[in-house]
Every structure is written in C-alpha cells, then in structure tokens.
Amino acid sequence: MLTIADRVTVLRRGRSMGTVPRSGATEQSLARMVVGRDVIFRVEKQSAKPAGPILTVEDLRVLDDRGLDAVRGATLTVRAGEIVALAGVDGNGQSELVQAITGIRPPVGGRIEVDGVDVTGRGVRAAGTAGIAHIAEDRHRIGLVLPFTLAENLALRRYRAAPLSRFGWLNPKAFFTLAKRLLGAFDVRGGDPGTPAAALSGGNQQKLCIAREIDSDPKLLVAHQPTRGLDVGAIEFVHSQLIEQRDAGKGVLLVSLESEEVRSLADRILVIYEGRIVAEFPPDASEEELGIAMTGGTVAAA
Amino acid sequence: MKLPPSVSRTGRALLVPLTTVVIAFVVAGLVMGLTGTNPFKTYVSIFDGTGLNWLFPWVGGQTRTIASQDLQQTLVATAPLILTGLAVAFAFRAGLFNIGAQGQYTVGSVLAIWVGTSFTHMNPVLHIVASIVAAALIGGAWAALAGWLKAVVGTHEVISTIMLNWIAIWVATYLFQENGPLQGKQALGNPVSNTLPNNVHLPVFWGNPALQGLDVGIFIGLAAAVVFWAIMNRSTLGYEVRAVGHNPDAARGAGINVARNYVVTMAICGAFAGLASSVDVLGWQFQVSTADISGSQVGFLGIAVALLGRNTAIGTVAAALLFGALETGTAADNINASVINPELAPQLTLIIEGLVVLLVSTDLIAVRLLGLPRRLGLGRPEPGADLAQALEPDDAAAQAAAVEGFDAGPATTGL
C-alpha cells in the first residue's frame, strides 16, 4: 500500500477516518487510524523448547477444486513445543495443504503422520482423533455454523460422544454445561450458550473457534489465518493463545499471509511457493529475504 | 432490522407467519369485494364450514351435529397435510428443497393399496401396519433417489424431485388405468385400483364411519410431528441435518458426511410423504383411481404448509390445520350458497394458499411492514442489524433454508 498508493484513505465502521498522503504515512500511523489506538506489532514470548516431531508431512500432493495441482510435493515437520509458520503469497497451496492435514480434502499423494499415526486421507474425524485441531481460515464459512447457538457451535467436534450425546440422542444439559465452562474460560463475550453465533463480534466468534479447538486438547494446532479481520485486542488474544499452546508442549502450525505476524510468532518460518516448501528461515529473517522466497526468487543461504 | 426486545421469543416466531396469513386473507377478501361478494359473510360461512364452531359451547342441536361432521372432515384433511408438510420441512432444515412430496405420496399410494388389497389372509392389524410401512418405505426410497443423485453426481434436488414426481404419477396412472396391471377386478371399465377390504381400513374413532368420520390417521400425523421434533432437536442426526442445512462447508469441516446426510434426509422426507398417502388410502379413499393420482395436490400443498409453518413441527401442524380447515370450509357443499357461489368458493382456498406461499417465500414483505416505523425514522437506527436478526435463531435457520432453496439456482425461478 505504502509503495503503490499516492494517497491513503482509511475506512472504519463505514466512515472515512481521513485521507493522508503517502509521504506522511507510516505503518504505525495508519494502524492507529485503522483501529483507533496504538498497535503493538511485536509479541512477547520465551524461546521455544521443541521436542520430538508431532506432524510429519512427506511429499504431499493435493489437488484444488478445479482438479489442478495445488500442493506439489510438500514436505515439512512440526515438532512439539514450537510454532512453525507457513508464509507465502495467498493461493500457493496453503488452503489445500491445511485441508489435507486436517482431513477435509483427501490428498492424491504423499503421507501425513500425527505423532506416529498415519492420517493420510482418513477424514476429519480421524485427524481429530489423532490429535489435530483446526482454527479454520474462514470462521464464517468453515469454522462456525453461524445460526447455531454458541453451545451448538462449541459441540461441533464432539457432539457424537458422551456426555453430549448417548446412543444418538443429544443431552441439552451437557451442551449447556460445556458452553458455560468454555465461554467463561475463554472470555467469550456478547452472548450466553443459547445465543446464535452470528450475534457475536468477529473477535468473539474467533474466540469461540479457538475455545472449541483448544479444549479438545490437541497435539497439533493448525491455525489458518487466525487473526484475519480481527481488531487489535482480539489479535493479541489469539497470539497469546497460540504461544500458550506452544508452551504447553503442543505443535502449532500457523498459516499466515501477514509477514509481521509470521515473524513475531514463529520459531521457524517455512515458505510455501507454488505448492512446495521452498525455504526455511529463523524468526529473525528480514522481510526482504522472506519476500524474495515467497515470490519464487532463490535465496543464497537460508 | 430488529423487532423490539419487548417482543417475546414465541411472539417473534409467530409474528411473521401470522402477518402473512392476515395479508393473504385481506387480499382474498379484496378479490371477493371487487367481484361483488361480501367477504365478511363469506369468511363467517367458511369458518362455519370448517366445523371449528364445534369448539364453541353455545353451538348446539342440529348445528352442532353438522359442525362435528365438518370438523371430522377438517381433521381428515389435516392429517396428510401434516405429513407432507413435514416431508418438505425436514428437507428445508437440511438446506434441500423437496418439491417431490407429491411423487413420494403417489408411490406410497400405489404400495399402500397394493399391499392392502393383496395378502388378504393376514391378521388385519398386521395388514394395516404392513400397508403403512410399505408406503413409508417406498416413499423414502423414492425420495432417497433424489438425495443420492445430489450426493453422487450433484443433480439439483429441485430438478430431480420434479422429474421423479412425473415418473411416479405416470407409473401409477399406467398401473391403475384400464387394462393396467393393477386395475381393479371389481370395476373393469373404470381406471381404478382394487378396493381395500373393510378390515384394512384405519379405525374411525369419532363420528360415523359411513359418513367418513375421523380415523386414527390424525394421530399418525401428530405422532410424526413429535418424531420430527425429536429427531431434529434431540438427536445427533438432527444436529447434523441442521448443521448441513445452515452451512455445509462448516459441517464438512466438522467431519459430517454431507453427501450421506442428503440421502438420509431425503429418505426421511419421503417416509413422511409415504405415510401421508397411507393415511389417505387406508383412512378414507380405500381405492385409488387415475383421476385421484393426477388430481391430488397433497404433496404440493406440503410446500405451503412447511413454508407457513416455518419448518418446525408445531408450525407445520398449525399450518396443516389451517389449510385442512380452508379446504373443508370452502368445499362446495359446506359453503352457504346465499353468500357466495359454491362453485367459486374452493378457488378462494387456492387463492389464499397461493398468496401464503408467495408471501412466506418472500416474507420480507411481512418483515418490512413490521419494520416500517423504523424506516420512516420513527425508531432508532441500529447499525449492523439485518434481516436475519429480525428472526429468532431457529427461525432465521428456517428462513435461511427456505431462501437458499429458492435462490439455489435458475431452475427454481420458474416455480
């Protein structure tokens, strides 16, 4: 934006917050206009203490909706206790890769293992059982059933098991109890267990998704653009949750288009380009290095 | 747009359908007024014709006897409408538009009459049960075909169910027409099926069986509504159906097999429609003619019933009662001939039903009327509020399902 535009107009809640010439604008000043207060881009965290591998993806090949190659032989590993960020320009196979790992989209080749269990093409439930949780890229389309109540949304991964249901019959009380507990624990505001998810703000909707996924006590948390469209307060919450999960010894695979987010959260950065993992960087990689790798340029030493 | 918070949950759920019905009645009244009939007297006459005046304790003597017969008729007509309404409503909740209740009903009729007129040495109770179950199963299988086509090759269920309707209607006509394989032996020369023996009739528990009193079919309808509610709101299957109906992508993301869900949903819908046919065949028809097959509207009316009932069990029962009552109240021999030409009266039902479908399916009209004060600047504007929020959650769900059904593709625009 700052390189192309001559002038920048900021919209907030349907109103123009003003127009500034590019020369006077910095990322900080624009962010302030966007959210209405100062924004801290850096995240405080301890250094990672990674253990053994939790997720192993080998030579994975996945097709997109049109049947074209989207992931063309991706290989990557996520260890317990580390945040691995997958950086890349949108549309380089990130969505298909995540869908394959989480069991939504069957791959056409390769192998996915979670803590030693082969889950390749076994479906969402098998992936969940093996310990994969998934903060979906689009909470409105995939993460939540918006007209469902908060309780129903929180039950989405486990309504088939006791105590939420027995012999195929639901137990509304258990739904309520689960929702009460999670809404409190994750500080989801703006509704009670019976409120439709559509009535919540974007940040609280995302908290709802995160509450559901984290409460399943996963081994691997796949967070796909977890802060998209969120305000700063919610972004801080999401980031702290990801770090908390890492510190609790879980593997975190963060797929993000925001290089700032990638660099501040990741313990290792993988770059995906045209369906392959083309480079690995430490978190202190420069924006230029990442940018070159993300656009397919070759980098001397990674 | 938001209704004031003072309006209770039930109030909100009732408001839109009731407004719809009132508008439909007013418009139909205008039609009467413009064509020289007194709408008020006509509506009173229709009401008396429904037999609902039987509920008034002050109605006595001969009037009460007639009212009881009319009410029996109303409830006989209501039973299949509940069931076809449920057949459409269940699909709506899964985001499917089942236009095929008529075809599912038709194949159900064929099997109900075939089982009912064959195997004559069976125990009568078992025979009745077998006949009902056969109708429900074939209806379910018929509808599951459409679900299967959608699941496997992506055929839109609106197209496939319409086509299956025609196949069902013409196959049934072929079977019962003169010289058809299932034409009745007792009346060669008439295109009609065999007649059910007396012991395969549903028992009449109110009124005179010879005068088509009320048979137990109404209890089958009511029980089906309870089953509908239980499946939809208290079972994991219903949870999945609703999830798929609201958002198939999220359902898939949660590990729900969406394709399988479509097949199961349609099978359940078809079973309801099949039950509807068995209630008619074993309750009062006792034989099926080719004219019955081509003239029946019960399945199509189910669409109106489901829409007005907002795809809930209780709403469907209420809407079925309304349509059943209208049908009986405007029947030529129930209407007061000094008020309106008896030959015209049944058309009033069709006008009202058509208006209800039109208004419910675009129930923006009702919602907009309710929101008029705000848009005229009489209320406080509410940022971010929209139509979905004007409705209760379940309600918005039904709404979404209905709207999705209508918007699903160019194929539906002609309906």
Side-chain angles (χ1 to χ4, degrees):
Chain A
M1 193 197 310
L2 288 174
T3 45
I4 297 174
D6 295 319
R7 287 176 297 132
V8 180
T9 300
V10 173
L11 292 178
R12 186 164 92 223
R13 292 188 190 278
R15 292 205 186 96
S16 168
M17 290 291 119
T19 302
V20 292
R22 175 188 56 184
S23 54
T26 65
E27 239 171 68
Q28 284 289 344
S29 71
L30 286 180
R32 197 181 312 120
M33 286 173 74
V34 170
V35 301
R37 65 175 162 106
D38 274 322
V39 181
I40 310 146
F41 282 116
R42 279 284 157 184
V43 183
E44 299 301 321
K45 63 175 166 100
Q46 313 279 311
S47 59
K49 301 175 192 69
I54 279 288
L55 172 72
T56 317
V57 175
E58 272 169 35
D59 196 27
L60 192 69
R61 303 171 56 80
V62 191
L63 303 182
D64 66 11
D65 284 335
R66 297 165 298 172
L68 304 177
D69 288 333
V71 180
R72 318 165 189 220
T75 298
L76 66 99
T77 304
V78 178
R79 290 171 294 177
E82 71 171 348
I83 298 179
V84 172
L86 193 64
V89 177
D90 201 7
N92 274 284
Q94 294 98 322
S95 298
E96 289 78 8
L97 176 65
V98 166
Q99 287 165 0
I101 292 173
T102 54
I104 296 172
R105 185 184 291 265
V108 291
R111 189 175 163 80
I112 304 164
E113 265 183 29
V114 179
D115 203 15
V117 179
D118 185 355
V119 295
T120 321
R122 295 278 174 79
V124 175
R125 282 182 184 146
T129 310
I132 295 180
H134 177 206
I135 299 170
E137 126 183 65
D138 185 337
R139 58 184 166 272
H140 288 170
R141 201 168 64 80
I142 303 174
L144 296 171
V145 179
L146 287 177
F148 262 17
T149 64
L150 304 189
E152 284 171 324
N153 270 295
L154 289 167
L156 210 47
R157 297 258 185 254
R158 53 169 93 170
Y159 65 92
R160 285 155 60 90
L164 293 185
S165 69
R166 282 195 179 87
F167 309 112
W169 294 99
L170 302 176
N171 177 358
K173 262 189 199 154
F175 272 66
F176 185 84
T177 314
L178 171 77
K180 267 285 178 207
R181 178 169 66 77
L182 289 180
L183 295 183
F186 288 84
D187 191 29
V188 181
R189 293 180 199 181
D192 53 52
T195 310
L200 295 191
S201 69
N204 280 298
Q205 287 175 345
Q206 193 69 336
K207 279 185 185 176
L208 202 62
C209 291
I210 291 173
R212 178 182 70 214
E213 299 303 324
I214 288 181
D215 193 58
S216 66
D217 192 23
K219 293 171 180 163
L220 174 77
L221 180 62
V222 179
H224 195 175
Q225 294 202 54
T227 59
R228 184 161 89 171
L230 298 187
D231 66 69
V232 193
I235 289 175
E236 283 166 359
F237 174 85
V238 172
H239 286 174
S240 67
Q241 287 295 328
L242 295 183
I243 291 165
E244 210 170 277
Q245 288 303 301
R246 178 200 77 165
D247 291 345
K250 295 157 199 289
V252 177
L253 179 63
L254 168 70
V255 180
S256 176
L257 304 174
E258 311 280 331
S259 69
E260 197 65 47
E261 181 170 83
V262 164
R263 292 193 302 149
S264 60
L265 278 178
D267 300 309
R268 284 193 294 139
I269 301 173
L270 302 178
V271 175
I272 186 168
Y273 176 71
E274 292 194 339
R276 290 185 196 90
I277 308 299
V278 293
E280 177 174 340
F281 292 98
D284 55 6
S286 74
E287 193 128 4
E288 284 75 16
E289 284 177 295
L290 280 178
I292 291 168
M294 279 162 58
T295 49
T298 41
V299 192
Chain B
M1 190 207 71
K2 227 168 188 163
L3 299 174
S6 55
V7 181
S8 77
R9 189 189 160 88
T10 326
R12 285 164 197 243
L14 282 174
L15 210 44
V16 173
L18 284 183
T19 317
T20 306
V21 171
V22 168
I23 296 175
F25 273 94
V26 169
V27 174
L30 285 176
V31 171
M32 288 183 244
L34 288 173
T35 52
T37 302
N38 182 329
F40 301 102
K41 284 185 178 167
T42 306
Y43 279 133
V44 169
S45 168
I46 290 176
F47 180 81
D48 287 346
T50 65
L52 288 168
N53 51 346
W54 183 85
L55 299 172
F56 300 147
W58 60 85
V59 173
Q62 180 68 15
T63 320
R64 189 165 184 80
T65 312
I66 292 173
S68 73
Q69 288 166 2
D70 288 341
L71 188 55
Q72 289 154 21
Q73 280 303 298
T74 289
L75 294 175
V76 164
T78 300
L81 286 176
I82 294 175
L83 289 158
T84 53
L86 295 175
V88 179
F90 201 94
F92 269 139
R93 297 293 284 272
L96 299 175
F97 198 169
N98 178 17
I99 314 246
Q102 189 65 46
Q104 295 142 24
Y105 174 92
T106 303
V107 293
S109 307
V110 172
L111 221 65
I113 202 79
W114 181 72
V115 172
T117 54
S118 313
F119 317 109
T120 41
H121 298 298
M122 271 177 96
N123 169 310
V125 176
L126 282 183
H127 201 174
I128 289 174
V129 172
S131 188
I132 292 173
V133 169
L137 286 179
I138 187 83
W142 199 254
L145 268 178
W148 180 78
L149 283 171
K150 184 181 181 82
V152 176
V153 279
T155 316
H156 198 288
E157 74 280 3
V158 167
I159 305 293
S160 57
T161 53
I162 289 177
M163 292 306 154
L164 283 166
N165 280 347
W166 290 112
I167 296 170
I169 287 166
W170 288 113
V171 166
T173 305
Y174 169 83
L175 291 173
F176 296 137
Q177 73 186 4
E178 280 187 63
N179 303 319
L182 292 183
Q183 195 207 349
K185 301 289 175 282
Q186 82 284 16
L188 289 174
N190 283 334
V192 63
S193 72
N194 276 316
T195 306
L196 286 180
N198 283 334
N199 60 3
V200 198
H201 295 183
L202 288 177
V204 169
F205 69 95
W206 186 28
N208 183 348
L211 290 177
Q212 225 179 70
L214 182 58
D215 61 78
V216 296
I218 187 73
F219 294 123
I220 297 179
L222 292 173
V226 173
V227 169
F228 177 103
W229 180 88
I231 293 179
M232 198 55 83
N233 298 299
R234 287 289 182 270
S235 78
T236 51
L237 172 66
Y239 178 91
E240 292 179 357
V241 165
R242 287 181 290 127
V244 170
H246 291 314
N247 186 343
D249 288 320
R252 206 171 280 121
I256 294 170
N257 186 336
V258 175
R260 180 177 156 271
N261 206 275
Y262 286 146
V263 181
V264 173
T265 296
M266 288 305 291
I268 291 173
C269 293
F272 282 130
L275 274 180
S277 71
S278 69
V279 161
D280 275 346
V281 168
L282 277 69
W284 61 274
Q285 277 185 305
F286 309 137
Q287 60 177 23
V288 178
S289 71
T290 54
D292 291 333
I293 290 161
S294 55
S296 168
Q297 294 286 331
V298 179
F300 293 123
L301 278 175
I303 300 170
V305 169
L307 285 171
L308 183 62
R310 308 199 69 77
N311 306 320
T312 63
I314 181 84
T316 300
V317 170
L321 180 61
L322 174 74
F323 285 179
L326 269 176
E327 201 178 296
T328 311
T330 55
D333 42 358
N334 281 340
I335 203 89
N336 183 344
S338 66
V339 175
I340 183 170
N341 183 341
E343 286 177 16
L344 297 183
Q347 322 307 335
L348 285 177
T349 299
L350 298 176
I351 292 175
I352 293 172
E353 283 165 355
L355 282 165
V356 164
V357 175
L358 182 68
L359 291 168
V360 172
S361 54
T362 57
D363 77 1
L364 304 166
I365 295 171
V367 174
R368 271 174 188 264
L369 279 179
L370 297 167
L372 207 55
R374 201 203 86 202
R375 281 184 298 113
L376 294 177
L378 304 177
R380 200 163 39 88
E382 294 179 66
D386 61 14
L387 174 64
Q389 289 172 323
L391 306 159
E392 273 300 299
D394 277 357
D395 212 34
Q399 174 70 7
V403 171
E404 269 164 34
F406 277 106
D407 287 345
T412 63
T413 51
L415 293 162

